[in-house]
Amino acid sequence: MSVSWRRVTAIVLSILLVLATGTLVAAASVPGTIVVGLQAEPTALDAHQITDYNSSRAAMGLYDSLLRFKDGSTELEPGLAESWDVSKDGLVYTLRLRRGVKFHDGTPFNADAVVFNILRQIDPSHPYHDTGTFAYADFTFGKVGRVEKVGDYTVRITLKERYAPFLANLAMHSASMISPAAIRKYGKEIAKNPVGTGPFKFVRWVPGVEVVLERNPEYWDKTRTPRIQRVIYRPVVEDQTRLAQLEAGELDFIVNVPPDDLPRLRQDNRFQVIEQAGMHIWYVVLNNQKPPFNDPRVRQAVNYAINRRAIVEGILKGTGVLADNYIPPVLWGYNKDVHAYPYDPAKARKLLAEAGYPNGFTAEFWVPQSGSGMQQPVAMAQAIQSDLARVGIRANIQTFEWGTYLDKVFVNDPQQLPDMHEMSWIGDNGDPDNFLYILLSGHQWPPNGFNESFYRNEEVDRILVAAQQTSDRAERAKLYLKAQELIMADAPWVPIDHETQIVVARREIKGFVLHPTGVFRFEKVTLEGQG
């Protein structure tokens, strides 16, 4: 009954939206257009400033990077760099750039543009460093000691120390090339006026309503010149509303499908369900720097207290797999012998008593209403709250809109964070470093990275750096296996699940393939029956 009422409400909301945005719906009916329903509003379209799924999905069709991930994998292939060499000591990368490529504003892509794009992010003295905040800069380019133009189409990058994931980092969104002329023109407004070299060009962003991209008929890679005319991204926060708009024909493609509705959609001939294992983890961040979570026994107790399997089976219903570690099993270097804490409330109570909390305590618990990779954040939080209450931990939930939530949790001082908050991470480059180092290294406390638990273990830090400086993948894998053992013992988070990437699209959409990084690629997509 409750589901039916939610659906009725969603349909009513959907109808109201149609009436309010009639011109937009009419525009979406232009042949060759795909309308995508996102979970939340993008926060920025400047690739260097993007930190969330909704933004990257809406923006990354605008850009190219020096190297590119192949379709459907994180294997590397040439992008704006046609070829590259790495010195024997692993410190000097020489990249030869593709000629004849132009940004969408007509200015040329060349070595000057590459130097500008990298220094803009990492050099505080660069005249355009203040045009954005670059949360990924330290991770992507932090090892760069020098970047220089060798010729108009050759760039040399010299690292301060060996760094095995560097080539993979050059294919990440934060390494995308943006028009220097556009950055000079728009300054901080470049986040709303993006200009890249990609297969799609920016048309407009109406906050709260839509981001519109159109095909770039002059795209340099003729094998990837889009066959559709436009892609429109619309933020629709409420899952049932998003689904209702798909079924009403207002959206062509949606993410984060309500788990209860998936079986029905699989049987509906109007739609196709596209899915694959995700390079993702959903977790509860514990504030390792504030009592009582600065005591590992308390963190372990919380891990034991939460019935993670019940969440995965009862709420997510097949849209995610139980997380047994801090990295997803699809990643190389995954330690199958490390196991997350089983559900054991008695063990949790015992640990709490040993830590001096026999009667439990009250904890502040922040939760987003929606957001990138956040699945069912409120329902999952309520289940966690209920589990914790059984061992005496009174978790007070506070919910926030996604953009507000990100502003509140990405802070540099752990004292400004609550005891617990929810987060998810989707891998950027297929390397374990992209999970373990950036999320759990003591060197990656904000603002340097995304270690929001403010966890630090010096032995873990030493291992993670050693893995970065080793080019042999087998040796790197051994180091990551050990790191996972140590981190699990410290229990800085509660890992819950690895989301399965699932989108539902209209049958007429042909040729769409999910990518492990979660970015949508529409350049090879066609629309059956439309030009």
Side-chain angles (χ1 to χ4, degrees):
M1 180 64 78
S2 60
V3 172
S4 299
W5 276 111
R6 284 205 307 273
R7 186 164 298 142
V8 168
T9 303
I11 291 171
V12 170
L13 290 172
S14 175
I15 292 170
L16 292 174
L17 181 64
V18 172
L19 294 174
T21 61
T23 55
L24 300 176
V25 173
S29 65
V30 172
T33 298
I34 293 176
V35 186
V36 179
L38 297 175
Q39 285 174 271
E41 176 77 4
T43 58
L45 301 182
D46 172 352
H48 300 167
Q49 299 193 63
I50 286 172
T51 60
D52 71 294
Y53 237 177
N54 297 295
S55 302
S56 64
R57 284 172 163 168
M60 291 314 296
L62 299 168
Y63 298 109
D64 294 304
S65 48
L66 297 172
L67 275 65
R68 185 166 65 191
F69 297 120
K70 290 183 176 179
D71 289 336
S73 85
T74 52
E75 187 178 347
L76 296 172
E77 65 180 9
L80 290 175
E82 287 185 310
S83 62
W84 54 88
D85 295 320
V86 183
S87 64
K88 290 184 178 178
D89 62 7
L91 295 177
V92 181
Y93 292 69
T94 303
L95 298 108
R96 288 169 287 280
L97 308 179
R98 196 173 299 278
R99 296 170 183 260
V101 177
K102 290 186 177 181
F103 290 102
H104 301 151
D105 58 7
T107 57
F109 167 74
N110 52 29
D112 289 325
V114 175
V115 174
F116 183 103
N117 272 267
I118 295 176
L119 293 184
R120 177 202 182 207
Q121 297 185 63
I122 63 172
D123 181 2
S125 67
H126 189 272
Y128 295 92
H129 183 69
D130 66 353
T131 55
T133 55
F134 311 113
Y136 266 69
D138 186 75
F139 176 76
T140 311
F141 294 121
K143 306 295 185 186
V144 172
R146 187 168 64 251
V147 53
E148 54 195 327
K149 171 183 174 182
V150 178
D152 286 346
Y153 293 95
T154 305
V155 172
R156 180 186 299 135
I157 300 174
T158 305
L159 303 186
K160 292 179 280 191
E161 57 190 55
R162 294 175 67 96
Y163 182 53
F166 187 64
L167 282 176
N169 284 5
L170 291 181
M172 286 168 41
H173 70 273
S174 47
S176 297
M177 293 293 117
I178 304 176
S179 163
I183 294 173
R184 292 187 183 101
K185 176 181 178 180
Y186 293 111
K188 293 181 179 178
E189 293 299 302
I190 189 67
K192 301 175 183 175
N193 298 277
V195 180
T197 62
F200 289 92
K201 299 190 294 186
F202 177 70
V203 176
R204 65 175 176 270
W205 179 8
V206 183
V209 179
E210 63 181 9
V211 174
V212 181
L213 312 184
E214 66 181 9
R215 74 187 291 266
N216 174 10
E218 299 174 347
Y219 189 50
W220 57 268
D221 184 348
K222 298 307 177 189
T223 68
R224 305 181 74 89
T225 302
R227 301 168 193 179
I228 58 173
Q229 297 300 313
R230 294 191 299 181
V231 184
I232 299 175
Y233 295 92
R234 290 188 179 151
V236 184
V237 174
E238 211 283 320
D239 290 346
Q240 286 293 341
T241 304
R242 196 180 316 114
L243 174 59
Q245 291 187 12
L246 174 77
E247 296 190 290
E250 298 150 25
L251 298 173
D252 302 309
F253 184 108
I254 64 170
V255 300
N256 212 49
V257 182
D260 285 334
D261 292 284
L262 264 176
R264 178 175 57 78
L265 291 168
R266 293 184 202 281
Q267 302 301 317
D268 192 324
N269 290 332
R270 295 175 298 168
F271 306 115
Q272 53 185 317
V273 178
I274 306 169
E275 57 190 302
Q276 71 169 20
M279 199 164 63
H280 164 276
I281 187 164
W282 193 102
Y283 54 101
V284 179
V285 181
L286 306 178
N287 190 333
N288 285 223
Q289 297 302 310
K290 284 172 65 176
F293 290 107
N294 59 346
D295 187 329
R297 292 171 297 184
V298 174
R299 301 195 298 265
Q300 292 164 356
V302 170
N303 273 268
Y304 279 121
I306 297 174
N307 190 343
R308 301 176 306 114
R309 185 175 297 280
I311 293 172
V312 172
E313 294 179 355
I315 296 175
L316 301 180
K317 298 181 178 177
T319 59
V321 297
L322 186 66
D324 221 9
N325 204 326
Y326 290 89
I327 63 176
V330 295
L331 222 57
W332 65 269
Y334 178 82
N335 192 334
K336 59 182 176 51
D337 295 323
V338 166
H339 299 288
Y341 296 79
Y343 179 52
D344 190 340
K347 188 71 175 289
R349 291 189 198 94
K350 182 173 183 293
L351 282 165
L352 288 174
E354 289 175 4
Y357 300 95
N359 299 315
F361 53 84
T362 299
E364 191 179 8
F365 186 15
W366 287 0
V367 174
Q369 296 167 347
S370 181
S372 300
M374 291 309 298
Q375 302 174 279
Q376 306 294 314
V378 176
M380 295 165 81
Q382 290 168 342
I384 290 168
Q385 180 188 49
S386 177
D387 287 342
L388 293 179
R390 293 189 180 94
V391 300
I393 299 175
R394 300 165 292 281
N396 293 329
I397 293 175
Q398 290 188 60
T399 61
F400 302 91
E401 179 274 329
W402 179 236
T404 303
Y405 184 78
L406 293 179
D407 289 341
K408 291 182 73 68
V409 299
F410 289 149
V411 294
N412 303 338
D413 181 1
Q415 300 308 314
Q416 295 180 23
L417 286 172
D419 303 298
M420 307 165 53
H421 69 273
E422 294 179 348
M423 189 47 67
S424 73
W425 183 260
I426 298 101
D428 299 290
N429 63 12
D431 194 299
D433 181 77
N434 187 245
F435 281 81
L436 296 175
Y437 182 75
I438 195 169
L439 299 179
L440 291 156
S441 164
H443 304 143
Q444 290 290 291
W445 284 18
N448 295 328
F450 294 90
N451 182 353
E452 300 158 66
S453 63
F454 289 86
Y455 165 67
R456 187 193 301 279
N457 178 319
E458 292 184 359
E459 178 65 5
V460 170
D461 290 348
R462 185 193 66 76
I463 291 171
L464 296 179
V465 170
Q468 291 179 340
Q469 298 180 349
T470 303
S471 56
D472 184 298
R473 178 174 285 196
E475 288 300 316
R476 294 186 68 204
K478 289 180 183 176
L479 292 166
Y480 289 129
L481 297 182
K482 181 61 178 176
Q484 289 162 70
E485 291 177 11
L486 295 172
I487 295 168
M488 187 59 73
D490 288 337
W493 317 333
V494 185
I496 302 293
D497 84 295
H498 307 294
E499 181 183 23
T500 301
Q501 281 202 74
I502 300 175
V503 299
V504 178
R506 303 194 67 79
R507 285 278 178 196
E508 292 82 359
I509 296 175
K510 302 294 184 185
F512 178 82
V513 177
L514 286 165
H515 194 269
T517 61
V519 171
F520 293 154
R521 294 180 171 184
F522 284 108
E523 52 264 38
K524 290 186 176 179
V525 165
T526 59
L527 277 171
E528 189 174 70
Q530 294 189 24

